[in-house]
Amino acid sequence: MNRRVVEFITALRAQGVRISVAESIDALRAADVAGVTDRKVFRSALRATLVKEPQDLPTFDKLFPAYFGSDPPPPMMQPGGGMSDEEREQFMQQLMEMLRSMTPEQLRQLFEAMMTGQRMSGQQMRQMLDEHTSLSQMPPNVPGSWALRRAMRELQFDRLQELLEELLEKLREAGVSEEALQQLAEEARQNQQALAQQLAQEAGAGMAQREAEQPRPRPSEEELLDRPFEYMDEEDLAELRPIVTRLAAQLRSRVALRQKRANKGNLDAKSTIRANMRYGAVPLDIRHRRKHLKPRLVIICDRSRSTEQVVRFLLQLIYTLQDVVSRTRSFAFIDTIYDISSYFNEARPEQAIEQVLQNVYPKRSYSTDLGQSLADLMRDHAGCIDHRTTVVVLGDARNNENDPRLDVFEQIKRRSHKIVWFNPEAPHMWGQYDPGSLSSDMLKYMPLCDSVHHVSNLRQLVAAVDSLFVR
Amino acid sequence: MRRFFGRERSERKAANVFDTIEEIRSRLGEQQYIASDEIATTVFLAERLNKPVLAEGPAGVGKTELAKVWAAATGRDLIRLQCYEGLDETKALYEWEYAKQLLYTQLLRDKLSDLLAGAETLGQAADRLAAEEDVFFSDRFLLPRPLLRALTSERPVVLLIDEIDRADAEFEAFLLEVLSDFQVSVPELGTIKARHQPMVLLTSNNTRELSEALKRRCLYIHIDYPSLDDEERIVNLKVPGLPPRLARQAVELVQRLRTMDLKKYPSISETLDWARALLELNARSLDRHTLDTTMSVLLKYESDLRKARRAVARADDERAERRRRDRDDEFRNFREN
């Protein structure tokens, strides 16, 4: 049993669930305590010890049947209940005769199970699927239902129906009553369905196990960090999610340490005297004036197709760093400014980002207008920028020949603590004419920024975000 | 005086440990808590493996309640530590009672001068004073906070660390020692080990990712909103006076609200509040008027309320329309016959 559990853990790991050695030991102890007699309890015990993230639960649910057997297959019934003894004799005799001459072997097995109501074991069935179908050679990306249909065809599963008709015809000739025949047909049909269901379970479990044992080759972490955002596909994104979480944790502790070390400000005499009144004014508890070290952030993102991935990662990083930031407001711009902070107040960052990307999107091409957006920002949300705010603009500054509104940008710069630009484009493209998106105003904005960062991959983005927290 | 290291009182009987998972379920049921398979199994494992439990899930699905009934079902005391941003050791673990120390120093001044009377050099006086230092840094002046209380308690306890996701990451790291070894280090006193191993339940509303290290040390349950039948059972159990038909209708509506696109979904506790409100108002059925007046118990945002009212009104109109059509059909059939 222990070995099976360990194999199961290996499979879970191969599917990207993070399980430490300590947790596997817990799982084994839990399995011991919970016992294997009650499947549901055993399953909950493994689940409580192995799966610590809600998003890993589906993986667990998918793999569990492959390693510890499926739910018990539906019950089969013994056909021929409504027959007289004589008729049953007839039935058995005819059935034996048919079975004797039937080929191929797997069809004979299925038909026998169907007509006698004797269940096939999961192992038998798995063996049959392995030997007589192409299920095990199926490439892993084939949808399960399609593979199953094909396997059923290879087993000639629909011929069972014909065989049943044939048997019924023979019995009819032998003079079995019509009523008994109908009942027999009905029972046989139900058994057939039960068999189909069992086959589907076993096939699904087999596929899940095979998939778990041959994990897809993955690019290394270093490679992903350096891969430009525009070349990333869905799979890379999934791979990157845990990495981003870890990078964020690293960033957070680095920033928190920096803030802590710098925490000793000047002596706050007033507060010290007040706090120490209860000690007879002996200054035991020295109070310092806290420096406001946690930055306030205002993030302005270009929501266009080219910057989608960068926006995703930037927002995820920033919102996982919330405990070292004193306040964050985030905006997206297309032709005007959209306040997206509210999404993040109600959902976890990943969900919120998806919602933002779904709800805020460009309705026509060439609609980006940063100048107008900045003006709208100053009109509607000027209050969120003050002398402690760091303003981050994320975008390629390709403005479709619209007025860049440098006056507004300068106004923002004057109001804010500093203004930082993140540009996903390579520096040699800045200010260059590009037929796709026309002119770039980067060189016009650049002198007004306190710093400009090139962020085309995750490594650069993390470094740029880190620099926000340095005074 | 608080003597939590006291040895006078005899140890009370240890909390009874459950034998089977069924027993847990029935004992929690006696406390009016309907435990799912997962919850019962996890509590069972926690008791057997002596591991903390981390419960995650949306607000108001009974995570905190679980700690309460767990304590009640096993006859343990419940000690609660509510987390918030800026929570630190002095508020969670212990603090020295400076004021009391100072007061004692003042009152014992004469005694102190006696003690120092024969001293010839300053060094000697300091040595003598140092020898008495223990008096001032003893448990007499220690103010225990929830964590230390849980470890040093005479009676077995359930320790509830509520909303751990609100505390800072540093505090989480600090908890690790407590959760894995059930001991804490107080620099002046040494390491304090738990007298009875407390059962620990941490809850999190998922507002931020918890550290891997913390999760690794815990058993994990994800508690979600209950199914229709479970929620109906809960309402019937907790609000016994409400007519079952009305309870069913109410729960159905709540479940439907959870499928809508709302800012905040109604939690179980809000369903119960609403059921109680319906009972107080002697409502007979969920008509438009009753809904209008009581829906604010369920939904806490104006925009949500508006959305829900519109949906209910639409459903009502459809029903009325259907009824009218049925009646017309009947009438026509009647005339044709």
Side-chain angles (χ1 to χ4, degrees):
Chain A
M1 194 66 220
N2 280 359
R3 227 184 105 188
R4 199 70 183 146
V5 176
V6 172
E7 280 170 13
F8 177 56
I9 291 170
T10 319
L12 280 175
R13 283 201 188 119
Q15 294 282 298
V17 182
R18 280 181 72 165
I19 299 169
S20 70
V21 178
E23 281 163 318
S24 8
I25 295 172
D26 284 344
L28 290 174
R29 281 174 62 204
D32 225 25
V33 170
V36 289
T37 39
D38 188 339
R39 258 178 61 83
K40 264 203 263 169
V41 169
F42 178 69
R43 180 195 170 97
S44 316
L46 286 190
R47 213 161 99 152
T49 44
L50 292 176
V51 183
K52 309 282 168 89
E53 309 275 347
Q55 68 262 29
D56 290 338
L57 284 176
T59 316
F60 180 91
D61 291 341
K62 197 179 83 187
L63 281 180
F64 186 83
Y67 282 81
F68 303 102
S70 330
D71 295 324
M76 311 240 290
M77 48 181 77
Q78 171 130 33
M83 292 175 159
S84 65
D85 288 346
E86 205 176 306
E87 284 172 336
R88 193 166 302 134
E89 192 121 318
Q90 275 283 347
F91 164 52
M92 291 316 281
Q93 203 183 334
Q94 292 286 0
L95 181 61
M96 284 302 147
E97 204 164 296
M98 275 183 82
L99 286 175
R100 206 172 302 135
S101 61
M102 197 179 292
T103 51
E105 167 64 16
Q106 63 271 27
L107 189 63
R108 197 191 67 79
Q109 276 180 9
L110 284 174
F111 192 60
E112 186 177 353
M114 171 170 146
M115 293 317 298
T116 56
Q118 262 159 13
R119 168 195 308 279
M120 290 176 75
S121 74
Q123 206 173 359
Q124 265 178 327
M125 206 162 256
R126 198 80 78 84
Q127 196 182 351
M128 185 180 355
L129 283 167
D130 281 346
E131 285 171 10
H132 301 292
T133 69
S134 54
L135 205 61
S136 48
Q137 286 103 45
M138 217 57 93
N141 51 0
V142 167
S145 57
W146 187 85
L148 177 67
R149 270 205 304 280
R150 177 154 171 189
M152 298 277 251
R153 215 165 35 238
E154 282 166 336
L155 287 176
Q156 307 184 357
F157 197 79
D158 40 358
R159 269 196 62 200
L160 289 178
Q161 190 64 32
E162 287 170 33
L163 291 171
L164 176 64
E165 295 294 338
E166 195 180 322
L167 179 67
L168 288 178
E169 198 48 47
K170 279 185 185 159
L171 289 177
R172 197 170 286 131
E173 278 168 23
V176 177
S177 75
E178 196 57 34
E179 217 168 290
L181 281 181
Q182 263 179 16
Q183 196 181 340
L184 179 68
E186 182 52 34
E187 284 160 344
R189 230 162 260 139
Q190 278 183 19
N191 281 348
Q192 189 186 1
Q193 269 170 17
L195 277 173
Q197 211 167 329
Q198 197 186 350
L199 267 176
Q201 277 175 4
E202 293 299 334
M207 277 193 289
Q209 185 170 355
R210 255 194 308 286
E211 195 180 322
E213 278 158 10
Q214 316 167 329
R216 272 159 294 169
R218 298 147 178 247
S220 76
E221 190 182 321
E222 293 297 308
E223 230 172 275
L224 281 174
L225 278 177
D226 287 326
R227 180 169 297 189
F229 288 121
E230 62 259 38
Y231 297 126
M232 284 189 182
D233 53 19
E234 281 298 314
E235 235 165 81
D236 292 342
L237 289 183
E239 298 272 328
L240 271 173
R241 214 159 287 138
I243 300 180
V244 171
T245 318
R246 215 189 54 243
L247 286 174
Q250 276 175 8
L251 254 175
R252 185 200 297 125
S253 45
R254 203 183 309 158
V255 173
L257 225 69
R258 216 181 276 144
Q259 286 174 352
K260 197 170 236 166
R261 283 195 192 124
N263 217 352
K264 295 277 176 285
N266 292 334
L267 177 74
D268 186 349
K270 223 197 289 181
S271 158
T272 306
I273 292 173
R274 200 165 47 230
N276 287 289
M277 285 310 280
R278 58 182 178 142
Y279 309 133
V282 181
L284 290 173
D285 182 4
I286 310 290
R287 296 293 169 93
H288 298 275
R289 214 169 267 132
R290 271 182 79 96
K291 278 189 195 158
H292 295 291
L293 284 157
K294 294 187 174 180
R296 285 183 186 166
L297 296 179
V298 167
I299 298 169
I300 306 171
C301 305
D302 182 356
R303 169 65 182 100
S304 60
R305 197 133 306 141
S306 55
T307 52
E308 194 175 301
Q309 302 299 7
V310 206
V311 168
R312 197 190 290 264
F313 284 112
L314 176 71
L315 289 176
Q316 195 183 343
L317 274 177
I318 295 287
Y319 277 94
T320 2
L321 290 175
Q322 279 309 288
D323 46 351
V324 287
V325 178
S326 103
R327 188 177 306 157
T328 309
R329 288 293 295 271
S330 42
F331 299 93
F333 69 85
I334 306 169
D335 48 349
T336 179
I337 203 96
Y338 298 87
D339 186 355
I340 54 175
S341 313
S342 60
Y343 292 98
F344 290 92
N345 296 337
E346 277 137 32
R348 288 179 61 160
E350 304 93 70
Q351 296 162 353
I353 292 168
E354 291 311 318
Q355 284 172 6
V356 168
L357 293 179
Q358 261 171 35
N359 294 343
V360 181
Y361 57 90
K363 302 197 172 50
R364 58 194 172 84
S365 44
Y366 301 113
S367 54
T368 304
D369 184 353
L370 178 56
Q372 185 58 40
S373 305
L374 289 176
D376 291 345
L377 175 75
M378 284 311 276
R379 194 191 60 213
D380 297 336
H381 305 284
C384 68
I385 301 174
D386 61 19
H387 65 284
R388 282 174 51 194
T389 316
T390 303
V391 179
V392 182
V393 184
L394 172 69
D396 50 14
R398 296 208 174 266
N399 225 356
N400 302 315
E401 311 288 352
N402 291 311
D403 182 2
R405 296 299 296 268
L406 293 174
D407 53 324
V408 181
F409 198 72
E410 200 167 350
Q411 210 180 330
I412 295 178
K413 180 189 164 59
R414 260 206 315 279
R415 284 184 71 111
S416 64
H417 169 62
K418 61 179 178 181
I419 189 160
V420 181
W421 195 293
F422 288 2
N423 195 331
E425 262 186 350
H428 68 263
M429 295 290 293
W430 297 353
Q432 296 292 316
Y433 181 85
D434 177 67
S437 42
L438 311 176
S439 67
S440 160
D441 291 325
M442 194 59 222
L443 295 181
K444 293 185 196 153
Y445 286 119
M446 210 157 97
L448 296 173
C449 296
D450 289 275
S451 57
V452 178
H453 298 269
H454 169 216
V455 289
S456 66
N457 59 34
L458 199 56
R459 197 187 294 279
Q460 288 170 339
L461 183 65
V462 170
V465 170
D466 189 34
S467 75
L468 290 180
F469 295 93
V470 182
R471 295 224 127 205
Chain B
M1 190 168 67
R2 194 186 286 110
R3 293 299 302 267
F4 55 93
F5 289 133
R7 278 145 209 108
E8 305 93 318
R9 254 186 286 165
S10 64
E11 276 189 22
R12 303 261 188 102
K13 76 176 174 71
N16 7 0
V17 178
F18 303 111
D19 287 328
T20 62
I21 292 173
E22 258 332 294
E23 196 186 336
I24 293 188
R25 205 199 298 264
S26 67
R27 291 268 279 282
L28 292 182
E30 280 165 28
Q31 304 294 329
Q32 305 218 319
Y33 189 88
I34 294 177
S36 67
D37 280 335
E38 255 111 57
I39 294 177
T41 312
T42 312
V43 169
F44 177 74
L45 287 176
E47 294 270 1
R48 284 304 176 84
L49 305 180
N50 283 323
K51 291 196 80 103
V53 175
L54 169 65
E56 271 192 328
V61 289
K63 298 187 295 285
T64 308
E65 188 67 18
L66 174 62
K68 290 184 188 159
V69 297
W70 190 356
T74 48
R76 291 187 173 99
D77 290 343
L78 178 73
I79 294 182
R80 177 172 179 167
L81 172 65
Q82 173 70 47
C83 296
Y84 51 87
E85 211 183 317
L87 177 71
D88 59 4
E89 285 137 276
T90 59
K91 297 202 184 87
L93 187 57
Y94 71 94
E95 179 147 52
W96 292 107
E97 262 187 293
Y98 298 116
K100 202 161 143 195
Q101 282 174 335
L102 211 70
L103 195 66
Y104 271 56
T105 334
Q106 297 279 337
L107 292 175
L108 296 175
R109 188 173 281 164
D110 296 343
K111 199 81 192 146
L112 282 174
S113 42
D114 285 354
L115 181 74
L116 302 178
E120 282 163 15
T121 63
L122 219 53
Q124 210 178 354
D127 283 347
R128 284 196 194 167
L129 200 58
E132 305 293 326
E133 214 170 44
D134 286 355
V135 175
F136 290 98
F137 287 102
S138 64
D139 47 310
R140 192 184 312 233
F141 297 106
L142 198 65
L143 202 61
R145 302 289 191 193
L147 281 181
L148 193 62
R149 275 223 311 280
L151 290 183
T152 55
S153 161
E154 298 256 323
R155 285 163 48 79
V157 294
V158 170
L159 172 64
L160 166 66
I161 303 181
D162 215 0
E163 305 191 338
I164 174 76
D165 50 335
R166 289 186 183 213
D168 306 323
E170 293 96 48
F171 182 72
E172 223 181 284
F174 160 75
L175 267 184
L176 295 181
E177 187 191 4
V178 181
L179 293 185
S180 55
D181 301 333
F182 296 101
Q183 63 175 36
V184 285
S185 313
V186 177
E188 295 87 349
L189 294 178
T191 306
I192 299 175
K193 272 193 98 65
R195 297 168 70 92
H196 303 277
Q197 193 152 330
M199 286 295 125
V200 185
L201 180 75
L202 299 108
T203 73
S204 154
N205 286 341
N206 247 339
T207 54
R208 80 177 163 85
E209 196 75 26
L210 299 176
S211 75
E212 292 271 329
L214 184 77
K215 285 186 167 173
R216 206 161 53 225
R217 282 168 176 76
C218 299
L219 302 172
Y220 178 87
I221 7 174
H222 188 259
I223 306 182
D224 218 331
Y225 293 120
S227 64
L228 179 66
D229 292 336
D230 279 348
E231 192 161 20
E232 192 188 351
R233 270 166 63 209
I234 294 171
V235 170
N236 285 334
L237 189 71
K238 295 261 182 175
V239 193
L242 197 69
R245 197 180 53 81
L246 191 56
R248 176 83 188 179
Q249 278 179 359
V251 171
E252 269 169 3
L253 182 76
V254 171
Q255 295 262 343
R256 205 167 81 219
L257 288 178
R258 288 202 191 116
T259 61
M260 285 168 57
D261 177 30
L262 298 179
K263 272 187 169 176
K264 184 189 165 301
Y265 296 120
S267 65
I268 301 181
S269 45
E270 280 156 331
T271 312
L272 290 175
D273 286 346
W274 189 44
R276 286 192 195 107
L278 291 177
L279 184 64
E280 284 301 316
L281 293 173
N282 263 329
R284 290 283 153 77
S285 66
L286 290 182
D287 51 41
R288 187 84 66 91
H289 176 69
T290 323
L291 279 179
D292 273 351
T293 46
T294 58
M295 196 100 103
S296 54
V297 179
L298 272 183
L299 298 171
K300 306 293 162 72
Y301 284 96
E302 185 55 35
S303 63
D304 285 358
L305 267 173
R306 262 201 308 269
K307 233 182 239 176
R309 282 196 183 122
R310 260 203 311 274
V312 169
R314 208 178 311 126
D316 269 5
D317 289 346
E318 272 167 25
R319 207 173 311 134
E321 172 71 13
R322 210 174 315 124
R323 215 174 297 139
R324 199 177 52 76
R325 220 167 349 169
D326 287 352
R327 211 177 38 227
D328 287 356
D329 285 352
E330 233 168 72
F331 185 61
R332 202 172 312 119
N333 288 343
F334 176 74
R335 273 219 315 219
E336 277 166 12
N337 290 342

